Amino acid sequence: VESLYPRPGWVELDPEVLWSQFVGVIKEAVQAAGLHMRQIAGLGISTQRATFITWHKRTGKPFHNFISWQDLRSAELVNSWNKSLLLKVIHVIFTVLHFLTGNDRYLAPSFLTFSTQQTSMKLSWVFKNIHEAEEAARKNNCCFGTVDTWLLYRLTKGSVYATDYSNASATGVFEPFTKCWNPTLCNLLSIPMSVYPPVKDTSFNFGSADSEIFGVPIPIMAVVADQQSAMFGECCFHPGDVKLTMGTGGFWNVNTGEHLFASRRGLYPLIGWKIGEELVYLTEGCMSDFGTAIRWAQDINLFTNVDETEKMARSIVDSQGVCFVPGFQISVNDPYLCASFMGLKPSTTRNHLVRAILESVAFRNKQLYDIIVKTVRLPLQTIRADGGVSNNSFVMQMTSDLINKKIEKPANADMSSLGAAFLAGLASGFWTDKEQLKKLRRTEAIFEPQKDSEEYKPAMDIWLQAMKRSLHW
């Protein structure tokens, strides 16, 4: 779905366009597979996280377009909250509670900072700035939903209003320790608790799509957030398993099993999935701008085809001191991070610029991997990569060298859709257990370390300097 930019920093999606494209893609996929809708045993839905909409409970009419996870309209609100005395008091209270109890439940609030990526601040903005939504919420007539909830609502003609644990936990408003919407945070931000949908299992019978949409009723058997879905599609079922997605953004996810790790280092605890009694937690670190930066470079004709970038990067021995700092989209730590090239010279060519972009991906991977190693108290096991950028072997090999670990790349780079299919198949009885899913995995390539990571230190040190200069633009 094409993003809309109604004002500088605002990023929206048209709900009607999203709906029509969603239905169209399903119909095309079934037709391309030579199947009929009657043969579909169940539907699994994997959606972008933290993008949300609010609508009127009785009429179903949206109060605004989808507000994207990339949207910056809450930046001023985020800054004022993060500098507020009240937040400092909250930090002190929960630091003391954590010290006295040793309970990790109190660790996350002890260093709570808000981000423009989180749904919470943008939802607070909605109720401060859109009178119709605020008024409907006061009368218990306002519904909040991430993309999955909206699609469920539309598929069932309004009869199903729900989300799953993986999507809820990615909003920043859901408390993963207590597994419920966070009333304290909502009171703090003046968000009515009445707007939130019920939270169901990830692999679960949510009801059926109305027969008018596809000609027959189709059971909706799974709803899952895209990164958690990719994790499931990669069969990262065991504690210590690691999934690296390099798509529009970059995401490192570690399966932490029954344990929920909170961290001061920019890692976030999430619920991976809930299937019956099984509840799996993840720790996540994210980076902006992987695919966006590469697409931008193509748009300005640094190269014609993405496949050329690997050859261009390898055609030179280094980037000649040129550094690229990603920052087209929001950064978790600094919403004002400035995307930039540094170290340009008269001798700089397109190849140097392209290599600098690809190197920045590998350097960010190294940064997050090191944080994960220091923070997650689990031995890391298999590392599996997916997403469009994982098809670039220059990035994959350099990342493997930097972290000194083997990385597997699957034959299919689009793991989010596969994960949703696996979860729907389990709920519908098409597969009986996860062992059957493991047998379906296909590895296309394995990248093993070929260079000592110390060889990259001078280049990475310069890149880190460039990052510092680009902060707080």
Side-chain angles (χ1 to χ4, degrees):
V1 180
E2 284 291 318
S3 294
L4 307 173
Y5 306 95
R7 295 188 194 177
W10 290 28
V11 188
E12 299 181 351
L13 304 174
D14 185 312
E16 292 306 319
V17 172
L18 188 149
W19 166 249
S20 63
Q21 290 191 5
F22 170 77
V23 172
V25 164
I26 292 174
K27 289 179 178 177
E28 286 172 20
V30 171
Q31 188 175 15
L35 299 171
H36 190 277
M37 287 294 180
R38 288 191 302 272
Q39 296 172 273
I40 306 302
L43 181 65
I45 302 173
S46 168
T47 52
Q48 184 185 97
R49 304 178 309 180
T51 294
F52 74 93
I53 195 168
T54 62
W55 67 94
H56 197 282
K57 187 179 286 185
R58 277 191 298 104
T59 66
K61 184 183 176 184
F63 295 115
H64 50 84
N65 283 338
F66 273 103
I67 298 176
S68 169
W69 66 276
Q70 301 163 301
D71 189 280
L72 291 173
R73 74 187 66 194
S74 62
E76 287 184 20
L77 205 56
V78 166
N79 271 350
S80 65
W81 264 105
N82 286 343
K83 292 175 182 175
S84 69
L85 178 62
L86 179 55
L87 196 61
K88 289 180 175 63
V89 170
I90 290 168
H91 289 169
V92 170
I93 291 170
F94 281 97
T95 299
V96 171
L97 283 171
H98 181 251
F99 176 77
L100 293 174
T101 65
N103 190 334
D104 267 4
R105 180 183 169 185
Y106 301 121
L107 181 58
S110 72
F111 56 86
L112 170 69
T113 52
F114 292 105
S115 157
T116 53
Q117 265 188 330
Q118 294 165 343
T119 304
S120 52
M121 275 298 172
K122 285 177 284 211
L123 189 54
S124 179
W125 181 94
V126 164
F127 292 122
K128 281 177 170 45
N129 292 276
I130 300 177
H131 173 68
E132 294 88 347
E134 188 270 334
E135 188 179 12
R138 270 194 289 108
K139 296 176 180 176
N140 199 21
N141 273 330
C142 181
C143 295
F144 157 88
T146 42
V147 178
D148 61 298
T149 303
W150 171 253
L151 292 176
L152 266 177
Y153 188 83
R154 291 293 296 267
L155 282 167
T156 60
K157 297 285 183 77
S159 66
V160 177
Y161 177 51
T163 188
D164 93 297
Y165 284 93
S166 68
N167 279 289
S169 74
T171 61
V173 200
F174 190 82
E175 170 54 67
F177 282 95
T178 58
K179 297 184 282 298
C180 63
W181 299 106
N182 191 326
T184 308
L185 184 62
C186 290
N187 285 333
L188 205 61
L189 300 179
S190 302
I191 300 171
M193 286 293 290
S194 63
V195 304
Y196 295 112
V199 184
K200 307 292 185 184
D201 284 6
T202 309
S203 185
F204 177 78
N205 188 341
F206 286 86
S208 291
D210 191 276
S211 57
E212 285 185 18
I213 299 169
F214 299 115
V216 291
I218 298 177
I220 304 161
M221 304 304 289
V223 165
V224 61
D226 56 2
Q227 296 309 316
Q228 289 95 317
S229 188
M231 189 87 172
F232 202 87
E234 289 274 30
C235 296
C236 292
F237 301 141
H238 306 290
D241 282 350
V242 182
K243 184 270 305 174
L244 165 60
T245 292
M246 294 183 286
T248 305
F251 297 86
W252 283 83
N253 295 94
V254 184
N255 183 325
T256 59
E258 298 175 355
H259 303 287
L260 196 53
F261 287 103
S263 163
R264 294 179 184 272
R265 297 174 175 267
L267 300 180
Y268 296 90
L270 292 171
I271 294 174
W273 52 83
K274 186 174 184 297
I275 306 172
E277 295 300 310
E278 180 192 34
L279 182 72
V280 171
Y281 290 108
L282 308 181
T283 287
E284 178 175 281
C286 65
M287 307 157 276
S288 65
D289 277 354
F290 279 12
T292 306
I294 292 171
R295 193 161 52 247
W296 167 81
Q298 185 174 7
D299 289 343
I300 65 165
N301 298 318
L302 281 184
F303 53 86
T304 308
N305 190 301
V306 175
D307 296 339
E308 298 171 28
T309 57
E310 179 191 336
K311 186 178 178 182
M312 292 171 75
R314 294 190 191 281
S315 70
I316 48 178
V317 291
D318 56 39
S319 63
Q320 209 180 64
V322 176
C323 297
F324 175 71
V325 178
F328 292 108
Q329 296 169 0
I330 51 177
S331 161
V332 174
N333 302 313
D334 179 10
Y336 300 110
L337 176 69
C338 170
S340 54
F341 278 107
M342 294 189 191
L344 300 177
K345 307 168 186 67
S347 57
T348 299
T349 66
R350 291 182 182 192
N351 292 347
H352 293 112
L353 298 178
V354 168
R355 182 170 176 127
I357 291 172
L358 299 185
E359 284 181 344
S360 74
V361 175
F363 289 149
R364 286 292 284 128
N365 281 334
K366 166 67 172 169
Q367 275 188 317
L368 261 185
Y369 178 79
D370 285 349
I371 291 169
I372 288 167
V373 168
K374 289 174 185 172
T375 303
V376 179
R377 300 183 294 274
L378 280 172
L380 301 184
Q381 308 295 333
T382 309
I383 300 176
R384 293 171 180 150
D386 61 73
V389 183
S390 70
N391 292 319
N392 188 298
S393 62
F394 177 86
V395 171
M396 292 289 287
Q397 186 57 58
M398 187 172 171
T399 299
S400 175
D401 291 343
L402 283 166
I403 68 174
N404 195 33
K405 286 286 183 181
K406 180 176 75 173
I407 306 175
E408 295 180 10
K409 181 195 169 300
N412 175 12
D414 186 2
M415 283 291 129
S416 294
S417 55
L418 185 61
F422 280 173
L423 286 157
L426 286 172
S428 63
F430 189 81
W431 294 294
T432 55
D433 57 43
K434 295 200 290 286
E435 291 304 312
Q436 288 181 298
L437 303 181
K438 289 180 188 177
K439 293 172 185 175
L440 300 174
R441 284 197 72 254
R442 296 292 180 268
T443 300
E444 182 181 271
I446 297 175
F447 294 85
E448 301 196 47
Q450 293 179 357
K451 284 187 182 180
D452 191 314
S453 62
E454 285 298 307
E455 291 185 41
Y456 295 99
K457 191 175 186 304
M460 188 163 179
D461 286 346
I462 294 170
W463 180 79
L464 289 169
Q465 286 180 34
M467 283 285 287
K468 286 177 185 175
R469 290 174 184 266
S470 299
L471 295 172
H472 312 300
W473 189 263

